[in-house]
Amino acid sequence: MQYEAPANWARSEENSIDGAHPSFVHSSFGSKRDPKVHIVPIEKPDEWTASTTRERTPPDRSQKTGRMRELTAEVRGKTRATTAFCFTGITHRIVIDRSDGLRQRTLSHRTPIDRYNTRTFTTQVRDYDFTPEADIERLEGRRQAVREDVAIVQTVLPKLPPRRPGQELLTEADQLEGAFRQIIQRRIDAGWEIDSQIVDRDADHEVYVIPSPERRLDPKGWVHRPVPTTKPRAGGE
Ligand SMILES: [Fe+2]
């Protein structure tokens, strides 16, 4: 499925990779009984990616509906959940392995429409219940989760993440968002940020474009100018 949300791309992505939010924002997953976020080490941080893996208390059977309720035992062990993001493509993957063997993977990719609106493409695969009815139910489950996320993320202020670290309080539970912010900051320091002051100033008369790689091979004859970016900062790449 795909959807558009009135929220900035980084705000939207931070919402998705936030390990604390499922128990508070989502009705059919996350644990209402044990919403505490267990702090775990960041895995595989590198220039573009990071991930965390948690053993989570599963949601109660009463949070499930339809076929998922039929498939869910009253008592079950912890669910293993790995959340990984990759900054390129603004992509993340959520891997869910339940104690009863049911497995589910969700892949999401974001495209900024502008500073305040984001389009998301998302795919979910599972290794149980291949009936068409289950497809419909899972799709409605995803739509419900999106409604719950968008209801929150569209209210977050400021609408864009702060420019400097320390302007917003991140806690231990926000560790994956912290890693995501650091990657954004490194790109800003390297001078990759769109200079929105210039874009706004010229908006009535000029359409700037994100230049395609083709322009490097053939730099002449292009009508629209590449979008202006900020300058590298001291210490940037
Ligand atoms: Fe969510």
Side-chain angles (χ1 to χ4, degrees), residues 197-223:
Q197 283 186 343
I198 295 178
V199 173
D200 289 349
R201 184 197 68 196
D202 297 347
D204 285 346
H205 299 284
E206 178 127 21
V207 173
Y208 291 108
V209 296
I210 308 293
S212 75
E214 185 71 18
R215 289 191 183 213
R216 287 193 204 124
L217 306 173
D218 182 7
K220 292 208 181 87
W222 300 90
V223 173

Short mmCIF file of all heavy atoms in Angstrom, two decimals, residues 197-223:
data_model
loop_
_atom_site.label_atom_id
_atom_site.label_comp_id
_atom_site.label_asym_id
_atom_site.label_seq_id
_atom_site.Cartn_x
_atom_site.Cartn_y
_atom_site.Cartn_z
N GLN A 197 15.87 28.67 2.35
CA GLN A 197 15.71 30.14 2.31
C GLN A 197 15.79 30.64 0.87
O GLN A 197 15.00 31.48 0.45
CB GLN A 197 16.78 30.81 3.16
CG GLN A 197 16.46 30.72 4.65
CD GLN A 197 17.44 31.51 5.50
OE1 GLN A 197 18.53 31.86 5.05
NE2 GLN A 197 17.05 31.78 6.73
N ILE A 198 16.76 30.12 0.11
CA ILE A 198 16.89 30.54 -1.30
C ILE A 198 15.71 30.02 -2.10
O ILE A 198 15.12 30.74 -2.92
CB ILE A 198 18.23 30.04 -1.89
CG1 ILE A 198 19.40 30.72 -1.18
CG2 ILE A 198 18.28 30.30 -3.40
CD1 ILE A 198 20.77 30.28 -1.65
N VAL A 199 15.32 28.76 -1.87
CA VAL A 199 14.19 28.17 -2.62
C VAL A 199 12.92 28.98 -2.37
O VAL A 199 12.19 29.31 -3.31
CB VAL A 199 14.00 26.68 -2.22
CG1 VAL A 199 12.73 26.12 -2.87
CG2 VAL A 199 15.21 25.86 -2.64
N ASP A 200 12.66 29.33 -1.11
CA ASP A 200 11.47 30.12 -0.78
C ASP A 200 11.55 31.52 -1.40
O ASP A 200 10.56 32.03 -1.93
CB ASP A 200 11.32 30.26 0.74
CG ASP A 200 10.92 28.95 1.40
OD1 ASP A 200 10.55 28.01 0.66
OD2 ASP A 200 10.99 28.85 2.63
N ARG A 201 12.72 32.13 -1.33
CA ARG A 201 12.89 33.49 -1.86
C ARG A 201 12.57 33.54 -3.35
O ARG A 201 11.94 34.47 -3.84
CB ARG A 201 14.35 33.94 -1.62
CG ARG A 201 14.68 35.36 -2.02
CD ARG A 201 16.18 35.55 -2.13
NE ARG A 201 16.74 34.79 -3.25
CZ ARG A 201 18.04 34.51 -3.41
NH1 ARG A 201 18.92 34.89 -2.51
NH2 ARG A 201 18.45 33.83 -4.47
N ASP A 202 12.96 32.48 -4.08
CA ASP A 202 12.84 32.48 -5.54
C ASP A 202 11.57 31.78 -6.02
O ASP A 202 11.35 31.67 -7.23
CB ASP A 202 14.05 31.76 -6.16
CG ASP A 202 15.36 32.49 -5.86
OD1 ASP A 202 15.31 33.64 -5.39
OD2 ASP A 202 16.42 31.87 -6.09
N ALA A 203 10.72 31.35 -5.10
CA ALA A 203 9.64 30.42 -5.46
C ALA A 203 8.68 30.96 -6.52
O ALA A 203 8.15 30.18 -7.33
CB ALA A 203 8.85 30.03 -4.21
N ASP A 204 8.46 32.26 -6.57
CA ASP A 204 7.51 32.81 -7.54
C ASP A 204 8.04 32.73 -8.97
O ASP A 204 7.26 32.78 -9.93
CB ASP A 204 7.19 34.27 -7.21
CG ASP A 204 6.26 34.37 -6.01
OD1 ASP A 204 5.67 33.34 -5.63
OD2 ASP A 204 6.13 35.47 -5.45
N HIS A 205 9.36 32.65 -9.13
CA HIS A 205 9.94 32.78 -10.46
C HIS A 205 10.81 31.62 -10.90
O HIS A 205 11.23 31.55 -12.04
CB HIS A 205 10.78 34.08 -10.54
CG HIS A 205 9.97 35.30 -10.30
ND1 HIS A 205 9.12 35.83 -11.24
CD2 HIS A 205 9.85 36.07 -9.20
CE1 HIS A 205 8.52 36.89 -10.73
NE2 HIS A 205 8.93 37.07 -9.50
N GLU A 206 11.11 30.72 -10.00
CA GLU A 206 12.08 29.69 -10.36
C GLU A 206 11.67 28.35 -9.75
O GLU A 206 11.30 28.29 -8.57
CB GLU A 206 13.48 30.08 -9.83
CG GLU A 206 14.53 29.04 -10.11
CD GLU A 206 15.76 29.61 -10.82
OE1 GLU A 206 15.97 30.83 -10.74
OE2 GLU A 206 16.48 28.82 -11.45
N VAL A 207 11.73 27.33 -10.60
CA VAL A 207 11.53 25.96 -10.10
C VAL A 207 12.89 25.29 -10.07
O VAL A 207 13.53 25.13 -11.11
CB VAL A 207 10.57 25.17 -11.02
CG1 VAL A 207 10.51 23.71 -10.58
CG2 VAL A 207 9.18 25.78 -11.00
N TYR A 208 13.35 24.95 -8.91
CA TYR A 208 14.60 24.21 -8.78
C TYR A 208 14.29 22.72 -8.81
O TYR A 208 13.21 22.28 -8.43
CB TYR A 208 15.30 24.54 -7.45
CG TYR A 208 15.85 25.94 -7.38
CD1 TYR A 208 15.24 26.91 -6.58
CD2 TYR A 208 16.98 26.29 -8.11
CE1 TYR A 208 15.76 28.19 -6.50
CE2 TYR A 208 17.50 27.58 -8.03
CZ TYR A 208 16.89 28.53 -7.22
OH TYR A 208 17.38 29.79 -7.15
N VAL A 209 15.27 21.96 -9.27
CA VAL A 209 15.05 20.50 -9.34
C VAL A 209 16.18 19.77 -8.62
O VAL A 209 17.29 20.28 -8.50
CB VAL A 209 14.96 19.99 -10.80
CG1 VAL A 209 13.76 20.59 -11.51
CG2 VAL A 209 16.24 20.28 -11.57
N ILE A 210 15.85 18.56 -8.16
CA ILE A 210 16.90 17.66 -7.68
C ILE A 210 17.58 17.12 -8.93
O ILE A 210 16.94 16.47 -9.76
CB ILE A 210 16.29 16.48 -6.87
CG1 ILE A 210 15.36 16.98 -5.77
CG2 ILE A 210 17.39 15.59 -6.35
CD1 ILE A 210 16.00 17.72 -4.64
N PRO A 211 18.86 17.41 -9.13
CA PRO A 211 19.51 17.01 -10.40
C PRO A 211 19.67 15.50 -10.51
O PRO A 211 20.01 14.83 -9.53
CB PRO A 211 20.87 17.71 -10.33
CG PRO A 211 21.12 17.95 -8.88
CD PRO A 211 19.79 18.10 -8.22
N SER A 212 19.42 14.99 -11.69
CA SER A 212 19.62 13.56 -11.91
C SER A 212 21.12 13.30 -12.10
O SER A 212 21.88 14.19 -12.50
CB SER A 212 18.86 13.10 -13.15
OG SER A 212 19.55 13.54 -14.31
N PRO A 213 21.57 12.07 -11.85
CA PRO A 213 22.99 11.75 -12.05
C PRO A 213 23.45 12.00 -13.48
O PRO A 213 24.63 12.25 -13.74
CB PRO A 213 23.06 10.26 -11.70
CG PRO A 213 21.90 10.02 -10.79
CD PRO A 213 20.81 10.96 -11.28
N GLU A 214 22.51 11.97 -14.42
CA GLU A 214 22.85 12.21 -15.83
C GLU A 214 23.54 13.56 -16.03
O GLU A 214 24.37 13.73 -16.92
CB GLU A 214 21.55 12.15 -16.64
CG GLU A 214 21.70 12.24 -18.16
CD GLU A 214 22.34 11.00 -18.77
OE1 GLU A 214 22.36 9.94 -18.11
OE2 GLU A 214 22.81 11.10 -19.91
N ARG A 215 23.22 14.52 -15.17
CA ARG A 215 23.81 15.86 -15.32
C ARG A 215 25.32 15.86 -15.12
O ARG A 215 26.01 16.75 -15.60
CB ARG A 215 23.17 16.83 -14.33
CG ARG A 215 21.75 17.17 -14.69
CD ARG A 215 21.27 18.34 -13.84
NE ARG A 215 19.87 18.62 -14.13
CZ ARG A 215 19.33 19.83 -14.10
NH1 ARG A 215 20.06 20.87 -13.77
NH2 ARG A 215 18.07 20.00 -14.39
N ARG A 216 25.81 14.89 -14.36
CA ARG A 216 27.27 14.82 -14.16
C ARG A 216 27.95 14.42 -15.47
O ARG A 216 29.03 14.90 -15.79
CB ARG A 216 27.60 13.77 -13.10
CG ARG A 216 27.26 14.21 -11.71
CD ARG A 216 27.91 13.25 -10.69
NE ARG A 216 27.14 13.33 -9.46
CZ ARG A 216 26.58 12.29 -8.84
NH1 ARG A 216 26.72 11.08 -9.33
NH2 ARG A 216 25.88 12.47 -7.75
N LEU A 217 27.28 13.55 -16.23
CA LEU A 217 27.87 13.08 -17.49
C LEU A 217 27.72 14.13 -18.57
O LEU A 217 28.58 14.27 -19.44
CB LEU A 217 27.18 11.78 -17.92
CG LEU A 217 27.16 10.65 -16.89
CD1 LEU A 217 26.31 9.49 -17.37
CD2 LEU A 217 28.58 10.18 -16.60
N ASP A 218 26.59 14.86 -18.54
CA ASP A 218 26.29 15.83 -19.60
C ASP A 218 25.76 17.10 -18.94
O ASP A 218 24.56 17.30 -18.84
CB ASP A 218 25.25 15.20 -20.54
CG ASP A 218 24.93 16.14 -21.70
OD1 ASP A 218 25.62 17.18 -21.85
OD2 ASP A 218 23.98 15.83 -22.45
N PRO A 219 26.65 17.97 -18.47
CA PRO A 219 26.21 19.10 -17.65
C PRO A 219 25.58 20.25 -18.43
O PRO A 219 25.03 21.16 -17.82
CB PRO A 219 27.52 19.56 -16.96
CG PRO A 219 28.63 19.00 -17.76
CD PRO A 219 28.11 17.86 -18.56
N LYS A 220 25.61 20.22 -19.77
CA LYS A 220 25.12 21.37 -20.54
C LYS A 220 23.67 21.18 -20.99
O LYS A 220 23.21 20.07 -21.20
CB LYS A 220 26.00 21.55 -21.80
CG LYS A 220 27.43 22.00 -21.49
CD LYS A 220 28.01 22.79 -22.66
CE LYS A 220 29.44 23.22 -22.37
NZ LYS A 220 30.42 22.19 -22.77
N GLY A 221 22.95 22.30 -21.16
CA GLY A 221 21.65 22.29 -21.83
C GLY A 221 20.46 22.02 -20.94
O GLY A 221 19.35 21.86 -21.44
N TRP A 222 20.65 21.94 -19.65
CA TRP A 222 19.52 21.69 -18.75
C TRP A 222 18.80 23.01 -18.47
O TRP A 222 19.41 24.05 -18.28
CB TRP A 222 19.99 21.06 -17.45
CG TRP A 222 20.68 19.75 -17.67
CD1 TRP A 222 22.02 19.55 -17.89
CD2 TRP A 222 20.07 18.46 -17.76
NE1 TRP A 222 22.28 18.21 -18.08
CE2 TRP A 222 21.11 17.52 -18.01
CE3 TRP A 222 18.76 18.00 -17.66
CZ2 TRP A 222 20.86 16.15 -18.15
CZ3 TRP A 222 18.53 16.64 -17.79
CH2 TRP A 222 19.55 15.74 -18.04
N VAL A 223 17.48 23.00 -18.48
CA VAL A 223 16.69 24.22 -18.31
C VAL A 223 16.65 24.67 -16.85
O VAL A 223 16.98 25.80 -16.51
CB VAL A 223 15.25 24.02 -18.85
CG1 VAL A 223 14.37 25.25 -18.54
CG2 VAL A 223 15.28 23.76 -20.35
#
